[in-house]
Amino acid sequence: RLGLEVDLDAVPCRERRGFAPLELLFSESNSRFVMTVAPERAAAVEQLLSGLPHARVGAVTAEPTMVLRSSQLPRAIVLPVEQLVQAYRGTLAGL
């Protein structure tokens, strides 16, 4: 139940023009994934990924909220992690 802060402007994207922040967030581009890395191992992971499109777009936080920022948004989107968990579980409950 940790939190997350994400800078959507830092998401690697070939053609940024025309993408709204939430399109970047929920895009299903091929070979796209998010990984978390301990801060002391970040340089080693970045070295492994050199030559490939990648970026550090955020950080895990102790505060149980997801914070999304973008220069295209008038203010940050802040959502409690518990609310996100309930929404996720609620959609799966009917399956």
Coordinates of all heavy atoms in Angstrom, one line a residue:
R1 N 0.8 -1.2 0.0 CA 0.0 0.0 0.0 C 0.9 1.3 0.0 O 0.6 2.2 0.7 CB -1.0 0.0 1.2 CG -2.0 -1.1 1.2 CD -3.0 -0.9 0.1 NE -4.3 -1.5 0.3 CZ -4.6 -2.7 0.0 NH1 -3.7 -3.5 -0.7 NH2 -5.8 -3.2 0.2
L2 N 2.0 1.2 -0.7 CA 2.8 2.4 -0.9 C 2.2 3.3 -1.9 O 1.3 3.0 -2.7 CB 4.2 2.0 -1.3 CG 5.0 1.2 -0.3 CD1 6.3 0.7 -0.9 CD2 5.2 1.9 1.0
G3 N 2.7 4.5 -2.0 CA 2.2 5.5 -3.0 C 3.2 5.6 -4.2 O 4.2 4.9 -4.3
L4 N 2.8 6.5 -5.1 CA 3.6 6.7 -6.3 C 3.4 8.1 -6.8 O 2.3 8.7 -6.8 CB 3.1 5.7 -7.4 CG 3.7 5.8 -8.8 CD1 5.1 5.3 -8.7 CD2 2.9 4.9 -9.7
E5 N 4.5 8.7 -7.2 CA 4.5 10.1 -7.9 C 5.0 9.9 -9.3 O 6.1 9.3 -9.5 CB 5.3 11.1 -7.1 CG 4.7 11.4 -5.8 CD 5.3 12.7 -5.2 OE1 5.9 13.5 -5.9 OE2 5.1 12.9 -4.0
V6 N 4.3 10.3 -10.3 CA 4.6 10.2 -11.7 C 4.6 11.5 -12.4 O 3.6 12.3 -12.3 CB 3.6 9.2 -12.4 CG1 4.0 9.1 -13.9 CG2 3.6 7.8 -11.7
D7 N 5.6 11.7 -13.2 CA 5.7 12.9 -14.1 C 5.4 12.4 -15.5 O 6.2 11.8 -16.1 CB 7.1 13.5 -14.0 CG 7.3 14.7 -15.0 OD1 6.3 15.1 -15.6 OD2 8.4 15.2 -15.1
L8 N 4.2 12.7 -15.9 CA 3.8 12.2 -17.2 C 4.5 12.9 -18.4 O 4.7 12.3 -19.5 CB 2.3 12.4 -17.4 CG 1.4 11.5 -16.5 CD1 -0.1 11.9 -16.6 CD2 1.6 10.0 -16.8
D9 N 5.1 14.0 -18.1 CA 5.9 14.7 -19.1 C 7.2 13.9 -19.4 O 7.9 14.1 -20.4 CB 6.3 16.1 -18.7 CG 5.0 17.0 -18.7 OD1 4.0 16.7 -19.3 OD2 5.1 18.1 -18.0
A10 N 7.6 13.1 -18.5 CA 8.9 12.3 -18.6 C 8.7 11.0 -19.3 O 9.7 10.3 -19.6 CB 9.5 12.1 -17.2
V11 N 7.5 10.6 -19.6 CA 7.2 9.3 -20.3 C 7.8 9.3 -21.7 O 7.4 10.2 -22.5 CB 5.7 9.0 -20.3 CG1 5.4 7.7 -21.1 CG2 5.1 8.8 -18.9
P12 N 8.6 8.4 -22.0 CA 9.2 8.3 -23.4 C 8.0 8.1 -24.4 O 7.2 7.3 -24.2 CB 10.1 7.1 -23.4 CG 10.4 6.8 -22.0 CD 9.2 7.3 -21.2
C13 N 8.0 8.9 -25.4 CA 7.0 8.9 -26.4 C 7.5 9.4 -27.7 O 8.0 10.5 -27.8 CB 5.8 9.7 -26.0 SG 4.4 9.6 -27.0
R14 N 7.4 8.6 -28.8 CA 8.0 9.1 -30.1 C 7.3 10.3 -30.6 O 7.9 11.3 -31.0 CB 7.8 8.0 -31.2 CG 8.8 6.9 -31.1 CD 8.6 6.0 -32.3 NE 9.4 4.8 -32.1 CZ 9.3 3.7 -32.7 NH1 8.3 3.6 -33.6 NH2 10.1 2.7 -32.5
E15 N 6.0 10.3 -30.5 CA 5.2 11.5 -31.0 C 4.3 12.0 -29.8 O 3.2 11.5 -29.6 CB 4.3 11.0 -32.2 CG 3.5 12.1 -32.8 CD 4.3 13.3 -33.3 OE1 5.3 13.1 -34.0 OE2 3.9 14.4 -32.9
R16 N 4.9 12.9 -29.1 CA 4.2 13.5 -27.9 C 3.0 14.3 -28.3 O 2.0 14.4 -27.6 CB 5.1 14.2 -27.0 CG 4.5 14.8 -25.8 CD 5.5 15.2 -24.8 NE 6.4 14.1 -24.4 CZ 6.1 13.2 -23.5 NH1 5.0 13.1 -22.9 NH2 7.0 12.3 -23.2
R17 N 3.1 15.0 -29.4 CA 2.1 15.9 -29.9 C 0.7 15.2 -30.0 O 0.7 14.1 -30.6 CB 2.5 16.5 -31.2 CG 2.2 18.0 -31.3 CD 2.8 18.6 -32.6 NE 4.2 18.3 -32.6 CZ 4.8 18.1 -33.8 NH1 4.2 18.2 -34.9 NH2 6.1 17.9 -33.8
G18 N -0.3 15.7 -29.5 CA -1.6 15.1 -29.6 C -2.0 14.1 -28.5 O -3.1 13.7 -28.4
F19 N -1.1 13.8 -27.6 CA -1.4 12.8 -26.5 C -1.7 13.6 -25.3 O -0.9 14.4 -24.8 CB -0.2 11.9 -26.2 CG -0.1 10.8 -27.1 CD1 0.8 10.8 -28.2 CD2 -0.9 9.6 -27.0 CE1 0.9 9.7 -29.0 CE2 -0.8 8.6 -27.8 CZ 0.1 8.6 -28.9
A20 N -2.9 13.4 -24.8 CA -3.3 14.0 -23.5 C -2.6 13.2 -22.4 O -2.2 12.1 -22.6 CB -4.8 13.9 -23.3
P21 N -2.5 13.8 -21.2 CA -1.8 13.1 -20.1 C -2.3 11.7 -19.8 O -1.6 10.8 -19.6 CB -1.9 14.0 -18.9 CG -2.1 15.4 -19.5 CD -2.8 15.2 -20.8
L22 N -3.6 11.6 -19.8 CA -4.2 10.3 -19.5 C -4.1 9.3 -20.6 O -4.0 8.1 -20.4 CB -5.7 10.4 -19.1 CG -5.9 11.2 -17.8 CD1 -7.4 11.3 -17.4 CD2 -5.1 10.6 -16.6
E23 N -3.9 9.8 -21.9 CA -3.6 8.9 -23.0 C -2.2 8.3 -22.8 O -2.0 7.1 -23.1 CB -3.7 9.6 -24.3 CG -5.2 9.9 -24.7 CD -5.3 10.7 -26.0 OE1 -4.6 11.8 -26.1 OE2 -6.1 10.4 -26.8
L24 N -1.3 9.1 -22.4 CA 0.1 8.6 -22.1 C 0.0 7.6 -21.0 O 0.7 6.6 -21.0 CB 1.0 9.8 -21.7 CG 1.5 10.7 -22.8 CD1 2.2 11.9 -22.2 CD2 2.4 9.9 -23.7
L25 N -0.7 7.9 -20.0 CA -0.8 7.0 -18.8 C -1.4 5.6 -19.2 O -0.9 4.6 -18.7 CB -1.7 7.6 -17.7 CG -1.8 6.9 -16.4 CD1 -0.4 6.7 -15.7 CD2 -2.8 7.6 -15.5
F26 N -2.4 5.6 -20.0 CA -3.1 4.3 -20.3 C -2.8 3.8 -21.7 O -3.4 2.8 -22.1 CB -4.7 4.5 -20.1 CG -5.0 4.8 -18.7 CD1 -5.4 6.0 -18.3 CD2 -5.0 3.7 -17.7 CE1 -5.8 6.2 -16.9 CE2 -5.3 4.0 -16.4 CZ -5.7 5.2 -16.0
S27 N -1.9 4.4 -22.4 CA -1.6 3.9 -23.7 C -1.1 2.4 -23.6 O -0.4 2.0 -22.7 CB -0.4 4.7 -24.3 OG 0.1 4.1 -25.4
E28 N -1.4 1.6 -24.6 CA -1.0 0.2 -24.6 C 0.0 0.0 -25.8 O -0.1 -0.9 -26.6 CB -2.2 -0.7 -24.8 CG -3.1 -0.6 -23.6 CD -4.3 -1.5 -23.7 OE1 -4.4 -2.4 -24.6 OE2 -5.2 -1.4 -22.8
S29 N 1.0 0.9 -25.8 CA 2.0 0.7 -26.8 C 2.7 -0.6 -26.6 O 2.9 -1.1 -25.5 CB 3.1 1.9 -26.7 OG 2.4 3.1 -26.7
N30 N 3.2 -1.2 -27.8 CA 4.0 -2.4 -27.7 C 5.2 -2.3 -26.9 O 5.9 -1.2 -26.9 CB 4.3 -2.9 -29.1 CG 3.1 -3.3 -29.9 OD1 2.1 -3.7 -29.3 ND2 3.2 -3.2 -31.2
S31 N 5.5 -3.3 -26.1 CA 6.8 -3.4 -25.3 C 6.9 -2.3 -24.3 O 8.0 -2.0 -23.9 CB 8.0 -3.3 -26.3 OG 7.9 -4.3 -27.2
R32 N 5.8 -1.8 -23.8 CA 5.9 -0.8 -22.8 C 5.6 -1.4 -21.4 O 4.6 -2.1 -21.3 CB 4.9 0.3 -23.1 CG 5.3 1.7 -22.8 CD 4.4 2.7 -23.4 NE 4.1 3.6 -22.3 CZ 3.1 4.5 -22.3 NH1 2.3 4.5 -23.3 NH2 3.0 5.3 -21.3
F33 N 6.4 -1.1 -20.4 CA 6.2 -1.6 -19.1 C 6.8 -0.6 -18.1 O 7.6 0.2 -18.4 CB 6.7 -3.0 -18.9 CG 8.2 -3.2 -19.1 CD1 9.0 -3.1 -18.0 CD2 8.7 -3.4 -20.3 CE1 10.4 -3.2 -18.2 CE2 10.1 -3.6 -20.5 CZ 10.9 -3.5 -19.4
V34 N 6.3 -0.8 -16.9 CA 6.8 0.0 -15.7 C 7.5 -0.9 -14.8 O 7.0 -2.0 -14.5 CB 5.6 0.7 -15.0 CG1 6.1 1.4 -13.7 CG2 4.9 1.7 -15.9
M35 N 8.6 -0.5 -14.3 CA 9.4 -1.3 -13.3 C 9.8 -0.4 -12.2 O 10.0 0.8 -12.3 CB 10.6 -2.0 -14.0 CG 11.6 -1.0 -14.4 SD 13.0 -1.6 -15.4 CE 13.6 -3.1 -14.8
T36 N 9.9 -1.0 -11.0 CA 10.4 -0.3 -9.8 C 11.8 -0.9 -9.5 O 12.0 -2.1 -9.7 CB 9.5 -0.4 -8.6 OG1 9.3 -1.8 -8.3 CG2 8.1 0.2 -8.9
V37 N 12.6 0.1 -9.2 CA 14.0 -0.3 -8.9 C 14.5 0.4 -7.6 O 14.2 1.6 -7.4 CB 14.9 0.1 -10.1 CG1 16.4 -0.1 -9.8 CG2 14.5 -0.5 -11.4
A38 N 15.1 -0.3 -6.7 CA 15.7 0.3 -5.5 C 16.6 1.4 -5.9 O 17.4 1.3 -6.9 CB 16.4 -0.7 -4.7
P39 N 16.6 2.6 -5.3 CA 17.4 3.7 -5.6 C 18.9 3.3 -5.8 O 19.6 3.8 -6.7 CB 17.2 4.7 -4.5 CG 15.9 4.4 -4.0 CD 15.7 2.9 -4.1
E40 N 19.4 2.5 -5.0 CA 20.8 2.1 -5.0 C 21.2 1.3 -6.3 O 22.3 1.1 -6.6 CB 21.3 1.4 -3.8 CG 20.7 0.1 -3.5 CD 19.4 0.2 -2.7 OE1 18.8 1.3 -2.5 OE2 18.9 -0.9 -2.2
R41 N 20.2 0.7 -7.0 CA 20.4 -0.1 -8.2 C 20.0 0.7 -9.5 O 20.1 0.1 -10.5 CB 19.6 -1.4 -8.1 CG 20.1 -2.2 -6.9 CD 19.4 -3.5 -6.8 NE 19.7 -4.3 -5.7 CZ 20.5 -5.3 -5.6 NH1 20.9 -5.8 -6.8 NH2 20.8 -5.9 -4.5
A42 N 19.5 1.9 -9.3 CA 19.0 2.6 -10.5 C 20.1 2.8 -11.6 O 19.8 2.6 -12.7 CB 18.4 4.0 -10.1
A43 N 21.3 3.2 -11.2 CA 22.3 3.4 -12.2 C 22.7 2.1 -12.9 O 22.9 2.2 -14.2 CB 23.6 4.0 -11.5
A44 N 22.7 1.0 -12.2 CA 23.0 -0.3 -12.9 C 21.9 -0.6 -13.9 O 22.2 -1.1 -15.0 CB 23.1 -1.4 -11.9
V45 N 20.6 -0.4 -13.5 CA 19.5 -0.7 -14.4 C 19.5 0.2 -15.6 O 19.4 -0.2 -16.8 CB 18.2 -0.6 -13.7 CG1 17.0 -0.7 -14.7 CG2 18.0 -1.7 -12.7
E46 N 19.8 1.5 -15.4 CA 19.9 2.5 -16.5 C 21.0 2.1 -17.5 O 20.9 2.2 -18.7 CB 20.1 3.9 -16.0 CG 18.8 4.4 -15.4 CD 18.9 5.7 -14.7 OE1 20.0 6.3 -14.6 OE2 17.8 6.3 -14.3
Q47 N 22.1 1.5 -16.9 CA 23.2 1.1 -17.8 C 22.8 -0.1 -18.6 O 23.1 -0.2 -19.8 CB 24.4 0.7 -16.9 CG 25.6 0.1 -17.7 CD 26.2 1.2 -18.6 OE1 26.2 2.4 -18.3 NE2 26.7 0.7 -19.8
L48 N 22.0 -1.0 -18.0 CA 21.5 -2.2 -18.8 C 20.6 -1.8 -19.9 O 20.5 -2.4 -21.0 CB 20.8 -3.2 -17.9 CG 21.6 -4.0 -16.9 CD1 20.8 -4.7 -15.9 CD2 22.5 -5.0 -17.7
L49 N 19.9 -0.7 -19.7 CA 18.9 -0.2 -20.7 C 19.4 0.8 -21.7 O 18.7 1.3 -22.5 CB 17.7 0.4 -20.0 CG 16.8 -0.6 -19.1 CD1 15.8 0.2 -18.3 CD2 16.2 -1.7 -19.9
S50 N 20.7 1.1 -21.5 CA 21.3 2.1 -22.4 C 21.1 1.7 -23.9 O 21.2 0.5 -24.2 CB 22.8 2.4 -22.1 OG 23.5 1.2 -22.4
G51 N 20.8 2.6 -24.7 CA 20.5 2.3 -26.1 C 19.0 2.0 -26.4 O 18.6 1.9 -27.5
L52 N 18.2 1.8 -25.3 CA 16.8 1.6 -25.5 C 16.0 2.8 -24.9 O 16.5 3.4 -24.0 CB 16.4 0.3 -24.7 CG 17.1 -1.0 -25.1 CD1 16.7 -2.1 -24.0 CD2 16.6 -1.4 -26.4
P53 N 14.9 3.1 -25.5 CA 14.1 4.2 -24.9 C 13.6 3.8 -23.5 O 13.0 2.8 -23.3 CB 12.9 4.3 -25.9 CG 13.0 3.2 -26.9 CD 14.2 2.4 -26.6
H54 N 14.0 4.6 -22.6 CA 13.6 4.4 -21.2 C 13.7 5.7 -20.4 O 14.4 6.7 -20.9 CB 14.4 3.3 -20.5 CG 15.9 3.8 -20.3 ND1 16.8 3.8 -21.3 CD2 16.5 4.2 -19.2 CE1 17.9 4.2 -20.8 NE2 17.8 4.5 -19.5
A55 N 13.1 5.8 -19.3 CA 13.1 7.1 -18.5 C 12.7 6.8 -17.1 O 11.9 5.9 -16.8 CB 12.2 8.1 -19.1
R56 N 13.3 7.5 -16.2 CA 12.8 7.5 -14.8 C 11.6 8.5 -14.7 O 11.9 9.7 -14.9 CB 13.9 7.9 -13.9 CG 13.6 7.7 -12.4 CD 14.7 8.1 -11.5 NE 16.0 7.5 -11.8 CZ 17.0 7.5 -11.0 NH1 17.0 8.0 -9.9 NH2 18.2 6.9 -11.4
V57 N 10.4 8.0 -14.5 CA 9.3 8.9 -14.6 C 8.6 9.1 -13.3 O 7.7 9.9 -13.2 CB 8.2 8.3 -15.6 CG1 8.7 8.2 -17.0 CG2 7.7 7.0 -15.1
G58 N 9.1 8.5 -12.2 CA 8.5 8.7 -10.9 C 9.3 8.0 -9.8 O 10.4 7.6 -10.0
A59 N 8.6 8.0 -8.7 CA 9.2 7.4 -7.5 C 8.1 6.8 -6.6 O 7.0 7.3 -6.6 CB 10.0 8.4 -6.7
V60 N 8.4 5.7 -5.9 CA 7.6 5.1 -4.9 C 7.7 6.0 -3.7 O 8.8 6.5 -3.3 CB 8.0 3.7 -4.6 CG1 7.2 3.1 -3.5 CG2 7.8 2.8 -5.9
T61 N 6.5 6.2 -3.0 CA 6.5 7.1 -1.8 C 5.9 6.3 -0.7 O 5.1 5.3 -0.9 CB 5.7 8.4 -2.1 OG1 4.4 8.0 -2.3 CG2 6.3 9.1 -3.2
A62 N 6.1 6.8 0.5 CA 5.5 6.1 1.7 C 4.1 6.6 1.9 O 3.3 5.9 2.4 CB 6.3 6.5 3.0
E63 N 3.8 7.8 1.4 CA 2.4 8.3 1.5 C 1.5 7.5 0.5 O 1.8 7.3 -0.7 CB 2.4 9.8 1.0 CG 1.0 10.4 1.1 CD 0.5 10.6 2.5 OE1 1.4 10.8 3.4 OE2 -0.7 10.6 2.7
P64 N 0.4 6.9 1.0 CA -0.4 6.0 0.2 C -1.3 6.8 -0.8 O -2.6 6.7 -0.7 CB -1.2 5.2 1.2 CG -1.4 6.1 2.4 CD -0.1 6.9 2.4
T65 N -0.7 7.5 -1.7 CA -1.5 8.2 -2.7 C -0.7 8.0 -4.1 O 0.5 7.9 -4.1 CB -1.6 9.7 -2.4 OG1 -0.3 10.3 -2.3 CG2 -2.4 10.0 -1.2
M66 N -1.5 8.1 -5.1 CA -0.9 8.1 -6.5 C -1.0 9.6 -6.9 O -2.1 10.1 -7.0 CB -1.6 7.2 -7.5 CG -1.0 7.3 -8.8 SD -1.7 6.1 -10.0 CE -3.3 6.9 -10.3
V67 N 0.1 10.2 -7.3 CA 0.1 11.6 -7.7 C 0.6 11.6 -9.1 O 1.7 11.1 -9.4 CB 1.1 12.4 -6.8 CG1 1.1 13.9 -7.3 CG2 0.7 12.3 -5.3
L68 N -0.2 12.2 -10.0 CA 0.1 12.3 -11.4 C 0.3 13.8 -11.7 O -0.6 14.6 -11.5 CB -1.0 11.7 -12.3 CG -1.3 10.3 -12.0 CD1 -2.6 9.9 -12.8 CD2 -0.2 9.4 -12.3
R69 N 1.5 14.1 -12.3 CA 1.7 15.5 -12.7 C 2.0 15.6 -14.2 O 2.6 14.7 -14.8 CB 2.9 16.0 -11.9 CG 2.7 16.2 -10.5 CD 3.9 16.9 -9.8 NE 3.6 17.3 -8.5 CZ 3.6 16.5 -7.4 NH1 4.0 15.2 -7.6 NH2 3.3 16.9 -6.2
S70 N 1.6 16.7 -14.8 CA 1.9 17.0 -16.2 C 1.8 18.5 -16.4 O 0.9 19.1 -15.8 CB 0.9 16.3 -17.1 OG 1.1 16.7 -18.5
S71 N 2.6 19.0 -17.3 CA 2.5 20.5 -17.6 C 1.2 20.7 -18.3 O 0.7 21.9 -18.4 CB 3.7 20.9 -18.5 OG 3.7 20.1 -19.7
Q72 N 0.5 19.7 -18.8 CA -0.8 19.9 -19.5 C -2.0 19.9 -18.6 O -3.1 20.1 -19.0 CB -1.0 18.8 -20.5 CG 0.0 18.8 -21.7 CD -0.3 17.7 -22.7 OE1 -1.4 17.5 -23.1 NE2 0.7 16.8 -23.0
L73 N -1.7 19.6 -17.3 CA -2.8 19.6 -16.3 C -2.8 20.8 -15.5 O -1.7 21.3 -15.1 CB -2.6 18.4 -15.4 CG -2.8 17.0 -16.0 CD1 -2.4 15.9 -15.0 CD2 -4.2 16.7 -16.5
P74 N -3.9 21.4 -15.1 CA -4.0 22.6 -14.3 C -3.4 22.3 -12.9 O -2.9 23.2 -12.2 CB -5.4 23.0 -14.3 CG -6.2 21.8 -14.6 CD -5.3 20.9 -15.5
R75 N -3.5 21.1 -12.4 CA -3.0 20.7 -11.1 C -2.8 19.2 -11.1 O -3.3 18.5 -11.9 CB -3.9 21.2 -9.9 CG -5.3 20.5 -10.0 CD -6.1 21.0 -8.8 NE -7.4 20.4 -8.8 CZ -8.5 20.7 -9.6 NH1 -8.3 21.7 -10.4 NH2 -9.6 20.1 -9.5
A76 N -2.0 18.8 -10.1 CA -1.7 17.3 -10.0 C -3.0 16.6 -9.7 O -3.9 17.1 -9.0 CB -0.7 17.1 -8.9
I77 N -3.1 15.4 -10.2 CA -4.2 14.4 -9.9 C -3.7 13.6 -8.7 O -2.6 13.0 -8.7 CB -4.5 13.5 -11.0 CG1 -5.0 14.3 -12.2 CG2 -5.5 12.4 -10.6 CD1 -5.2 13.5 -13.5
V78 N -4.4 13.6 -7.6 CA -4.0 12.9 -6.4 C -5.1 12.0 -6.0 O -6.3 12.4 -5.8 CB -3.8 13.9 -5.2 CG1 -3.3 13.2 -4.0 CG2 -2.7 14.9 -5.6
L79 N -4.8 10.7 -5.9 CA -5.8 9.6 -5.6 C -5.3 8.8 -4.5 O -4.2 8.3 -4.6 CB -6.1 8.8 -6.9 CG -6.7 9.5 -8.1 CD1 -6.6 8.6 -9.3 CD2 -8.1 9.9 -7.8
P80 N -6.1 8.5 -3.5 CA -5.7 7.6 -2.4 C -5.6 6.2 -3.0 O -6.4 5.7 -3.7 CB -6.9 7.6 -1.4 CG -7.7 8.9 -1.8 CD -7.4 9.1 -3.2
V81 N -4.5 5.5 -2.6 CA -4.3 4.1 -3.0 C -5.4 3.2 -2.6 O -5.9 2.3 -3.4 CB -2.9 3.6 -2.5 CG1 -2.8 2.1 -2.6 CG2 -1.8 4.3 -3.1
E82 N -6.0 3.4 -1.5 CA -7.1 2.5 -1.0 C -8.3 2.7 -2.0 O -9.0 1.7 -2.3 CB -7.6 2.8 0.4 CG -8.5 1.8 1.0 CD -8.0 0.4 0.9 OE1 -6.8 0.2 1.2 OE2 -8.8 -0.5 0.7
Q83 N -8.6 3.8 -2.5 CA -9.7 4.1 -3.5 C -9.3 3.3 -4.8 O -10.2 2.7 -5.4 CB -9.8 5.6 -3.7 CG -10.9 5.9 -4.7 CD -11.0 7.4 -4.9 OE1 -10.5 8.2 -4.2 NE2 -11.7 7.8 -5.9
L84 N -8.1 3.3 -5.2 CA -7.7 2.6 -6.4 C -7.8 1.1 -6.2 O -8.3 0.4 -7.1 CB -6.3 3.0 -6.8 CG -6.0 4.5 -7.1 CD1 -4.6 4.8 -7.2 CD2 -6.7 4.9 -8.4
V85 N -7.4 0.6 -5.1 CA -7.6 -0.8 -4.8 C -9.0 -1.2 -4.8 O -9.4 -2.2 -5.4 CB -6.9 -1.2 -3.4 CG1 -7.3 -2.6 -3.0 CG2 -5.4 -1.0 -3.5
Q86 N -9.9 -0.4 -4.2 CA -11.3 -0.8 -4.2 C -11.9 -0.8 -5.6 O -12.7 -1.6 -6.0 CB -12.1 0.2 -3.3 CG -11.7 0.0 -1.8 CD -11.9 -1.4 -1.3 OE1 -12.9 -2.0 -1.6 NE2 -10.9 -1.9 -0.5
A87 N -11.5 0.2 -6.4 CA -12.0 0.3 -7.8 C -11.6 -0.9 -8.6 O -12.3 -1.5 -9.3 CB -11.6 1.6 -8.5
Y88 N -10.3 -1.3 -8.4 CA -9.8 -2.5 -9.1 C -10.5 -3.8 -8.7 O -10.9 -4.6 -9.5 CB -8.3 -2.6 -8.8 CG -7.6 -3.8 -9.4 CD1 -7.3 -3.9 -10.8 CD2 -7.2 -4.9 -8.6 CE1 -6.7 -5.0 -11.3 CE2 -6.6 -6.0 -9.1 CZ -6.4 -6.1 -10.5 OH -5.8 -7.2 -11.0
R89 N -10.6 -4.0 -7.4 CA -11.2 -5.2 -6.9 C -12.7 -5.2 -7.2 O -13.3 -6.3 -7.5 CB -11.1 -5.3 -5.4 CG -9.6 -5.7 -5.0 CD -9.5 -6.0 -3.5 NE -8.2 -6.4 -3.2 CZ -7.7 -6.4 -2.0 NH1 -8.4 -6.0 -1.0 NH2 -6.5 -6.9 -1.8
G90 N -13.4 -4.1 -7.2 CA -14.8 -4.0 -7.5 C -15.1 -4.5 -8.9 O -16.1 -5.1 -9.2
T91 N -14.2 -4.1 -9.9 CA -14.5 -4.6 -11.3 C -14.2 -6.0 -11.4 O -14.8 -6.7 -12.3 CB -13.6 -3.8 -12.3 OG1 -12.3 -3.9 -11.9 CG2 -14.0 -2.3 -12.3
L92 N -13.3 -6.6 -10.6 CA -13.0 -8.0 -10.7 C -14.0 -8.9 -10.0 O -14.1 -10.1 -10.2 CB -11.6 -8.3 -10.3 CG -10.5 -7.7 -11.1 CD1 -9.1 -8.0 -10.4 CD2 -10.5 -8.2 -12.5
A93 N -14.7 -8.3 -9.0 CA -15.6 -9.1 -8.2 C -16.7 -9.8 -9.0 O -17.2 -10.9 -8.6 CB -16.2 -8.2 -7.1
G94 N -17.2 -9.2 -10.1 CA -18.3 -9.7 -10.9 C -17.8 -10.8 -11.8 O -18.7 -11.4 -12.5
L95 N -16.5 -11.1 -11.9 CA -16.1 -12.1 -12.9 C -16.2 -13.5 -12.4 O -16.1 -13.8 -11.3 CB -14.6 -11.8 -13.3 CG -14.4 -10.5 -13.9 CD1 -12.9 -10.3 -14.2 CD2 -15.1 -10.4 -15.3

